[in-house]
Amino acid sequence: IFFHFEAKKLKRVNKSEDLLPLLGMDAVDAVLISESDFIQLKSNTQLPLRILAEANQTFPLPVLVSKDKSRGETVANAIDKMPPALVKELGIDKWELK
């Protein structure tokens, strides 16, 4: 799942490899992926990607990843304001900011 905050878009991709070009071109503000997908993504790029927040869940989703801390935090705050049903569908119970 990726977010473009200015355009107010939330979209899904079929393959995590599709996220790297979007992050590299600044076409998205942040991505929501599993921690294992983040490790794989990070190993294939020199972009300064980092985990900004993670959901307090027992299963491996999600972590919020961005190369720009302020843009990622803006997305995290926007997610907190989404309808609870949508937030639950994203696999987020409670954020733990990094």
Side-chain angles (χ1 to χ4, degrees), residues 39-55:
I39 292 167
Q40 182 180 4
L41 197 68
K42 182 91 170 145
S43 70
N44 293 321
T45 186
Q46 292 183 355
L47 291 172
L49 301 176
R50 61 179 159 210
I51 295 175
L52 298 176
E54 57 186 19

Side-chain angles (χ1 to χ4, degrees), residues 11-83:
K11 295 207 175 198
R12 294 178 189 259
V13 294
N14 292 328
K15 298 181 280 181
S16 59
E17 306 88 54
D18 295 341
L19 296 172
L20 204 49
L22 295 170
L23 286 162
M25 295 183 297
D26 287 329
V28 299
D29 295 314
V31 298
L32 197 59
I33 57 178
S34 70
E35 192 166 3
S36 61
D37 283 341
F38 168 70
I39 292 167
Q40 182 180 4
L41 197 68
K42 182 91 170 145
S43 70
N44 293 321
T45 186
Q46 292 183 355
L47 291 172
L49 301 176
R50 61 179 159 210
I51 295 175
L52 298 176
E54 57 186 19
N56 187 6
Q57 296 284 343
T58 56
F59 55 91
L61 273 177
V63 293
L64 184 70
V65 175
S66 180
K67 63 180 199 174
D68 182 283
K69 185 175 181 179
S70 64
R71 288 171 68 186
E73 287 175 347
T74 300
V75 171
N77 291 332
I79 290 171
D80 285 339
K81 295 175 185 171
M82 288 179 177

